[in-house]
Amino acid sequence: MLSHHRSLVLFILVTCTLLAGCSNSSLGKALERSFAADPKLTEAQSQLSTTTGDGNQTARQATVVQLPDDFPTVIPRYPGAVLQAVVPAQGASVDAPKVETRWHSSDAGDRILSFYRETFQKNNWQILNQPESTRATGTVTARQNDLNVTVSVQPGSPVAVSRSGAGTADSAKASNTELVIQYSRDTSQPRNTAGPASPKLGNDLSTLSPFSGTTALGASGDSSAAQSQPVSGDIPFTDLNKTPAELRQYVEDVAKLGILSQAVSQQKQNQSQGGSLFEPNKTITRREYARWLMAANNRLYSDRPTQQIRLAQTSAQPVFKDVPRTDPDFPAIQGLAEAGIIPSSLAGDPTITTFRPNDPLTRESMLLWKVPVDTRQALPTANIETVKQTWGFQDAAKIDPRALRAVLADYQNGDLSNIRRAYGYTTLFQPKKPVTRAEAAATLWYIGFQGEGKSARGEGGKLKDEG
């Protein structure tokens, strides 16, 4: 044993002598590298530590907060916001679960609130509550189908940011905004998560009939081409049995999109009467149809942002004197005017200074607005004689000259025309006659031209590209 210890001591002394004597030689450097610490381990250790105020190193285990697996993808996420925590919301229970996610952002609160207001509105959420547009703090509450979301924005504590990146000696305080998103499902509302297969539109227009009881296939005849998509939910109205039989299926399909909204005052009145009423045979106003048209297009083309119509910013200069920025339908009406869908001074007619939002919508106005959304191209040249020859309307001379082109283009859409869908076969157009809510909804059942478009048939607006 004593001999073993002497050998070990001798080995250490020899090794130290070699290292000292060969420190500048290649052998010494190689030996130094072999005994040196792994630089990757050193770097990893430095990343797991932080410097306290007195300069001491304190070990810290880095953690990454993950969103829950069931976090709804339809909830908008503010760009650049960093998730801080996920906790059960106050008042949550097993029967009424509610989750709270906490985020922070370096952007100002008014910018974040504006993002959520505009995004909810663009994606056809029902906004239940929102702060004034100039507020930097506040809460936006919105609902889509059975999903309830509350977004709260509050100022947070300033965050220390290093200017030089060399430590905390040369640092500044950056603004920090706290963002809290709470979400829950309304368990009292049944979720319809599957629907019939999506028809792919082709030459056989029978696949588009809302009264067909068969499952439509793709153009190839392969059932796998018709993929089922989630629908928006059950029909929210209790009086659709009053809808004319020939329009009822159209209205029911469109109602599932969740776009047939009414003014808040009318909703409250209907609910106080024991249910949500659609009132299918009631005349629709110009503002209502503008709102529905914008919402229907953006809902049906929710998977194609390039085909969506942009809502106007609330800071835009109003194009109509009777639709100010404070009007709840300003974003939709102004947006349609800015897109050139509805006539205005922006489209080159300086005589149009008012919109008359609360006036009844007439048949010719409905066609004048809807057909450009269908065709996505310039309307054809038309006159009274061409309309008489195509449609056979005895009252073609009574149609506004601006609407004649839309009426003629609608004829070119064959059995998918708005006139045929809403009014069937007729030799009288009655251009000045008010439109009912059921007729207006029927025109929104399909948006497209000559077989290429989107239909609301039992799919909540989720159809693949047609044609």
Side-chain angles (χ1 to χ4, degrees):
M1 179 66 67
L2 181 61
S3 175
H4 175 72
H5 283 298
R6 286 178 179 175
S7 299
L8 179 60
V9 172
L10 180 60
F11 173 76
I12 294 173
L13 290 174
V14 172
T15 302
C16 293
T17 302
L18 287 172
L19 287 174
C22 303
S23 60
N24 294 324
S25 67
S26 59
L27 175 60
K29 293 179 179 178
L31 290 171
E32 285 182 61
R33 288 194 297 269
S34 66
F35 284 96
D38 188 343
K40 295 182 180 179
L41 293 177
T42 304
E43 179 182 0
Q45 290 174 349
S46 65
Q47 292 177 348
L48 293 175
S49 65
T50 183
T51 304
T52 61
D54 56 2
N56 294 326
Q57 292 287 329
T58 304
R60 175 177 59 87
Q61 179 65 40
T63 59
V64 177
V65 181
Q66 299 287 345
L67 281 172
D69 293 337
D70 62 347
F71 185 85
T73 57
V74 295
I75 298 179
R77 302 188 204 177
Y78 186 74
V82 179
L83 181 63
Q84 299 297 299
V86 178
V87 297
Q90 186 176 4
S93 65
V94 175
D95 295 330
K98 181 183 293 185
V99 180
E100 178 176 293
T101 60
R102 301 172 183 171
W103 313 66
H104 79 67
S105 172
S106 59
D107 290 347
D110 57 347
R111 184 173 180 179
I112 298 176
L113 286 172
S114 178
F115 167 82
Y116 277 97
R117 278 194 300 265
E118 294 175 4
T119 305
F120 281 140
Q121 192 171 38
K122 174 182 176 182
N123 294 328
N124 302 316
W125 288 68
Q126 181 184 5
I127 299 180
L128 306 177
N129 176 67
Q130 61 178 321
E132 297 178 2
S133 58
T134 57
R135 294 286 300 276
T137 61
T139 299
V140 179
T141 304
R143 176 183 177 88
Q144 188 177 87
N145 304 322
D146 64 340
L147 178 62
N148 300 293
V149 176
T150 299
V151 179
S152 301
V153 176
Q154 299 293 336
S157 302
V159 177
V161 178
S162 173
R163 291 194 183 101
S164 62
T168 58
D170 181 21
S171 62
K173 297 292 185 180
S175 61
N176 183 31
T177 302
E178 291 184 354
L179 171 63
V180 177
I181 301 177
Q182 294 182 354
Y183 64 93
S184 64
R185 295 283 186 181
D186 186 353
T187 56
S188 65
Q189 297 292 332
R191 296 181 65 195
N192 192 349
T193 57
S198 304
K200 181 176 177 62
L201 307 188
N203 294 329
D204 183 5
L205 298 181
S206 64
T207 61
L208 267 180
S209 171
F211 305 98
S212 172
T214 59
T215 300
L217 304 181
S220 63
D222 182 5
S223 61
S224 63
Q227 298 180 358
S228 177
Q229 298 285 351
V231 300
S232 293
D234 292 340
I235 299 172
F237 303 108
T238 60
D239 63 340
L240 293 190
N241 59 328
K242 298 180 181 179
T243 306
E246 59 274 10
L247 300 178
R248 182 169 179 178
Q249 191 62 58
Y250 292 125
V251 175
E252 288 183 354
D253 288 347
V254 176
K256 292 178 182 179
L257 299 180
I259 65 166
L260 303 180
S261 59
Q262 297 174 309
V264 175
S265 59
Q266 185 64 41
Q267 291 176 359
K268 291 180 178 179
Q269 179 182 346
N270 287 341
Q271 291 172 358
S272 67
Q273 296 173 353
S276 184
L277 304 180
F278 177 63
E279 300 173 303
N281 301 309
K282 180 181 178 181
T283 298
I284 188 173
T285 64
R286 290 165 61 88
R287 74 159 64 245
E288 284 178 311
Y289 191 71
R291 185 196 315 142
W292 292 4
L293 178 59
M294 170 75 82
N297 179 83
N298 292 351
R299 179 71 176 85
L300 293 175
Y301 286 96
S302 60
D303 59 336
R304 297 180 63 184
T306 58
Q307 298 299 316
Q308 294 177 9
I309 304 172
R310 300 293 189 264
L311 290 165
Q313 300 292 327
T314 54
S315 59
Q317 180 64 34
V319 66
F320 301 114
K321 294 189 297 184
D322 52 356
V323 186
R325 297 187 185 96
T326 55
D327 191 293
D329 292 314
F330 173 82
I333 296 173
Q334 179 86 6
L336 290 170
E338 291 181 351
I341 303 300
I342 59 178
S344 72
S345 58
L346 297 177
D349 191 340
T351 64
I352 303 176
T353 59
T354 60
F355 181 71
R356 296 174 287 114
N358 298 318
D359 283 3
L361 177 75
T362 63
R363 291 183 176 186
E364 63 182 5
S365 292
M366 180 177 68
L367 267 290
L368 184 59
W369 302 355
K370 173 60 166 48
V371 173
V373 178
D374 286 326
T375 64
R376 297 296 209 268
Q377 61 187 13
L379 298 178
T381 301
N383 54 45
I384 296 174
E385 291 304 318
T386 56
V387 171
K388 281 184 177 180
Q389 293 172 7
T390 53
W391 281 108
F393 290 149
Q394 303 176 45
D395 55 355
K398 297 180 180 180
I399 303 175
D400 187 296
R402 293 175 300 182
L404 281 172
R405 299 170 64 195
V407 172
L408 179 60
D410 194 52
Y411 177 83
Q412 297 172 352
N413 215 1
D415 284 344
L416 292 173
S417 73
N418 297 283
I419 294 174
R420 291 186 175 98
R421 188 158 60 251
Y423 305 115
Y425 173 74
T426 177
T427 62
L428 290 174
F429 181 50
Q430 304 180 71
K432 314 300 181 185
K433 185 176 181 178
V435 178
T436 68
R437 293 168 62 83
E439 292 166 351
T443 66
L444 300 176
W445 184 84
Y446 174 75
I447 293 180
F449 191 60
Q450 296 182 347
E452 296 184 5
K454 300 275 188 174
S455 164
R457 182 189 177 190
E459 293 294 331
K462 289 285 191 176
L463 286 187
K464 299 172 68 176
D465 291 343
E466 293 83 17

